[in-house]
Amino acid sequence: MIFTILLAGVTAYVILYYRWVRKYPPGPLPLPLIGNLYHLSAETVHEYVDKIGPDYGHCLTLFLPRPVVFFTDFDTVKEALVAKGDHFIGRSHLPPEIYLHENLMNKQRTANTIQSPQTGVVMSDGDVWKEQRRVSLKIMREHGMGQNIMEAQVNRAIDEMLAHIDNINAENTAIDMTLPLQLCFGNVITETLFGYHFKHTDLEVFEFALDAVIQFIQSMRDNIWVLLVQAWPWTKHLPLVGRKGYSEPIASISKFRHFVQEEIRKIDASFFRSQDPTNFAQSYLLEMEKNPQLNMQHLHAIVVDFWIGGVETSSTTLSWALIAFMEYPEIQEKMRSELLSVVGRERQIEMADKSSLPYFNAALTELQRWANILPFTQFHRCEKNISTKDSIIGGKLVPKDTLTMPQIYSVMRSERIFPNPGEFKPERFLEADGRTASKKHLKHFMAFGLGKRQCLGESLVRMELFLVIGNLLLNYRFEKIGPVDCTPVFGSVIFPKKHKCRVVPI
Ligand code: HEM
């Protein structure tokens, strides 16, 4: 009798499960409870989805175990993020994204619900996101984002980096460039946010903050336990799942959050409101006095968003640049010779040189395509408050409130648009005349996402990459000391393997 009831229960569950599965765009067969997790043992999610995308018309569902719809070519990504951008503007409000901000965590703990309050820019949506993004952009522009003031700030960070490199390069042996690069990008964003920068001779606080962020990013690598907590929040109370999928990632990011809170506390205590603000935190504190939609929790969250967005992504791109320079020395030489012909040896490179450096510009774009450091955008939730109907992408119905993942990785590795995509080849982004930028290829460049949630720091990053790489090539030649391994290491950011290089002053 008990066995019959059990069998009937299981059968009903399986029937209902597959009926529910049929609501979503088709993908590989999921199994009850574990969904498609069994497909992911040997490959990373982005590689697996890239491989199977064409079989499902570039719009498919994986059950991880929660259903996630992936868009894997330019047309489906553009349809979701631009043509129907308002439908897909929501965020997930789920682990691991909510681990980033304290406020999101608090609400989740007390109310035991997957719906969290909104803080900051990256993880919020609706009216909160609109206002925090608007105010943040306004303040960043007031502090010179994309203009000369910011150029001077980036140049100060570059001077510190060059001094740092000369310091560790004194013995002319092979060096690891990771820390000087992280410090350079860390200094640009720290000066923007807090108004000071770290000296390479006193790195204790910087390394503490950076280690916490890196530990968090690394704890996400191949972390199946986080997916379980994402699908069933109660599993965070189980011993192994709770440790790997919940408490360990939170412990590392909390250290970083405390650093941010302490810096803002000091600025708040010392800033006279009658003064002109000289950094982002001061400007936001002033805005808070007249705008009731702003508060301290948002400020903490935005600073976390910007610091994490600003340091690891940019310095990882630069680590890939060094791999490219070592693996393709002829391209490094060609970039340098164009720089020398335009800038010469007597002065520093400036943003005003940009239009005279077509090959160098093409190489920077190709670098971001080739390194492809963010395989996905953040989650985009098919927003039920905005879209009253389900959405159709690539002719397939995506039910409202579904999580979606536009896959940047596949768009920028499309064999059709970028033949032999694993090769580093700046000419892809130039027309046959070798000077004019190729509009067709630039259209498919998507490193910063697309549409309304496109990267807020894009113009800052473009300036940083231009000035930092320009200065490095004008000052040094980067040589390999052994074989270069271009195999990527996947986390939530795609890192290169660690390599030392010989840095020869020129
Ligand atoms: C190489 C460096 C960078 C790359 C490749 C990059 C790329 C991206 C991508 C792909 C997104 C997701 C877009 C989406 O979800 O649709 C994003 C969002 C964002 N990025 Fe960046 N980013 C970089 C650096 C920065 C920097 C330096 C900052 C801060 C100053 C920043 C701030 C942000 C913010 C605030 C968002 C969230 C935008 C929103 O949700 O409205 N990023 N970025």
Side-chain angles (χ1 to χ4, degrees):
M1 177 66 177
I2 292 180
F3 178 73
T4 314
I5 294 173
L6 213 64
L7 189 67
V10 171
T11 310
Y13 170 74
V14 171
I15 290 170
L16 288 175
Y17 178 77
Y18 284 108
R19 196 174 286 170
W20 172 69
V21 163
R22 276 213 308 273
K23 284 191 345 192
Y24 296 91
L29 182 77
L31 297 178
L33 291 180
I34 60 166
N36 293 102
L37 291 183
Y38 73 103
H39 283 112
L40 302 179
S41 50
E43 285 168 300
T44 58
V45 179
H46 66 283
E47 286 168 332
Y48 178 62
V49 172
D50 183 53
K51 197 172 71 186
I52 62 171
D55 302 339
Y56 296 97
H58 296 289
C59 173
L60 63 112
T61 311
L62 285 188
F63 291 78
L64 296 172
R66 178 178 283 274
V68 179
V69 174
F70 289 82
F71 308 125
T72 67
D73 74 345
F74 178 75
D75 291 337
T76 49
V77 171
K78 190 165 175 218
E79 187 179 1
L81 297 188
V82 180
K84 296 177 182 158
D86 281 341
H87 294 203
F88 291 91
I89 214 159
R91 289 296 197 218
S92 78
H93 307 294
L94 292 169
E97 296 186 346
I98 58 164
Y99 297 167
L100 279 177
H101 301 163
E102 193 160 32
N103 191 28
L104 308 183
M105 298 297 308
N106 286 342
K107 179 69 187 274
Q108 222 228 359
R109 256 201 307 268
T110 54
N112 195 23
T113 165
I114 55 164
Q115 201 66 33
S116 326
Q118 310 262 342
T119 30
V121 177
V122 180
M123 304 307 164
S124 61
D125 49 28
D127 291 341
V128 171
W129 165 72
K130 268 192 205 138
E131 188 58 5
Q132 299 307 319
R133 184 170 167 122
R134 184 191 71 75
V135 172
S136 303
L137 256 178
K138 176 176 129 357
I139 298 178
M140 288 296 274
R141 288 192 183 126
E142 279 165 10
H143 287 283
M145 188 160 79
Q147 303 157 31
N148 292 353
I149 318 173
M150 196 64 97
E151 185 167 351
Q153 202 159 300
V154 176
N155 279 330
R156 278 197 291 280
I158 289 173
D159 290 343
E160 190 66 41
M161 175 184 72
L162 297 179
H164 194 182
I165 295 173
D166 288 343
N167 193 33
I168 47 184
N169 200 30
E171 286 162 22
N172 205 16
T173 48
I175 64 171
D176 180 354
M177 287 280 291
T178 314
L179 186 59
L181 296 173
Q182 287 165 331
L183 178 65
C184 177
F185 295 106
N187 270 340
V188 173
I189 202 71
T190 307
E191 193 163 340
T192 309
L193 296 170
F194 301 144
Y196 66 81
H197 81 247
F198 299 98
K199 292 271 169 215
H200 71 269
T201 42
D202 183 10
L203 289 179
E204 200 182 327
V205 177
F206 176 72
E207 289 191 280
F208 169 82
L210 187 68
D211 280 354
V213 170
I214 291 175
Q215 265 174 33
F216 177 71
I217 293 176
Q218 286 179 349
S219 72
M220 294 295 110
R221 185 171 300 157
D222 295 332
N223 192 332
I224 211 162
W225 312 110
V226 172
L227 295 176
L228 294 178
V229 179
Q230 186 183 82
W232 303 296
W234 56 267
T235 56
K236 70 181 181 213
H237 301 298
L238 302 177
L240 184 62
V241 185
R243 183 161 58 81
K244 295 270 183 206
Y246 187 74
S247 43
E248 279 183 5
I250 288 172
S252 43
I253 202 63
S254 308
K255 285 194 254 169
F256 179 67
R257 279 203 246 108
H258 291 148
F259 157 74
V260 166
Q261 284 163 7
E262 182 54 18
E263 292 311 294
I264 293 175
R265 190 196 59 72
K266 285 191 259 176
I267 290 173
D268 187 25
S270 62
F271 174 50
F272 293 106
R273 301 319 196 242
S274 54
Q275 275 172 243
D276 281 340
T278 55
N279 56 59
F280 184 98
Q282 290 179 343
S283 295
Y284 194 97
L285 289 167
L286 267 190
E287 292 280 331
M288 260 166 63
E289 307 211 325
K290 23 184 207 213
N291 183 342
Q293 295 182 66
L294 312 184
N295 60 39
M296 213 41 140
Q297 281 178 328
H298 283 308
L299 176 56
H300 290 158
I302 292 169
V303 168
V304 168
D305 288 347
F306 283 18
W307 213 89
I308 295 182
V311 180
E312 225 15 55
T313 47
S314 312
S315 57
T316 303
T317 306
L318 251 293
S319 298
W320 278 111
L322 294 178
I323 299 277
F325 295 159
M326 289 190 281
E327 189 63 1
Y328 300 88
E330 67 293 350
I331 296 180
Q332 181 186 165
E333 282 313 320
K334 200 167 168 187
M335 291 168 78
R336 181 177 300 107
S337 89
E338 188 185 54
L339 285 165
L340 284 171
S341 72
V342 173
V343 181
R345 291 185 187 276
E346 304 304 317
R347 64 174 177 90
Q348 268 196 315
I349 182 172
E350 297 163 6
M351 288 312 291
D353 296 316
K354 196 168 169 54
S355 56
S356 315
L357 294 165
Y359 185 80
F360 181 66
N361 289 324
L364 297 186
T365 312
E366 171 67 350
L367 169 67
Q368 285 196 274
R369 184 206 67 80
W370 178 73
N372 224 338
I373 62 162
L374 295 176
F376 315 106
T377 64
Q378 297 290 328
F379 277 121
H380 283 249
R381 189 163 47 89
C382 184
E383 178 61 90
K384 71 173 173 195
N385 297 331
I386 295 170
S387 163
T388 49
K389 294 193 189 124
D390 306 322
S391 279
I392 309 271
I393 298 294
K396 295 180 185 157
L397 188 131
V398 182
K400 63 187 175 189
D401 222 19
T402 305
L403 293 186
T404 71
M405 268 296 195
Q407 173 141 306
I408 295 173
Y409 177 84
S410 298
V411 176
M412 297 213 297
R413 280 190 76 91
S414 157
E415 187 77 49
R416 192 170 59 81
I417 306 295
F418 302 109
N420 198 3
E423 190 189 347
F424 181 67
K425 195 174 166 202
E427 288 79 7
R428 296 178 200 279
F429 287 98
L430 291 172
E431 297 291 358
D433 65 4
R435 293 200 63 80
T436 315
S438 161
K439 285 199 181 121
K440 173 184 159 199
H441 292 89
L442 281 177
K443 193 173 99 176
H444 290 81
F445 173 80
M446 219 181 258
F448 297 105
L450 267 190
K452 294 190 173 164
R453 299 212 73 142
Q454 195 160 330
C455 177
L456 188 146
E458 178 174 348
S459 61
L460 171 61
V461 178
R462 286 182 183 275
M463 179 186 274
E464 287 178 322
L465 296 183
F466 183 86
L467 295 174
V468 173
I469 295 182
N471 270 291
L472 285 176
L473 289 178
L474 284 165
N475 281 283
Y476 310 104
R477 175 174 296 107
F478 299 93
E479 295 174 355
K480 64 179 171 186
I481 50 163
V484 176
D485 182 354
C486 297
T487 319
V489 182
F490 179 61
S492 39
V493 175
I494 298 187
F495 295 101
K497 289 205 166 141
K498 280 225 182 241
H499 288 78
K500 288 189 170 178
C501 61
R502 192 169 297 112
V503 179
V504 185
I506 50 173

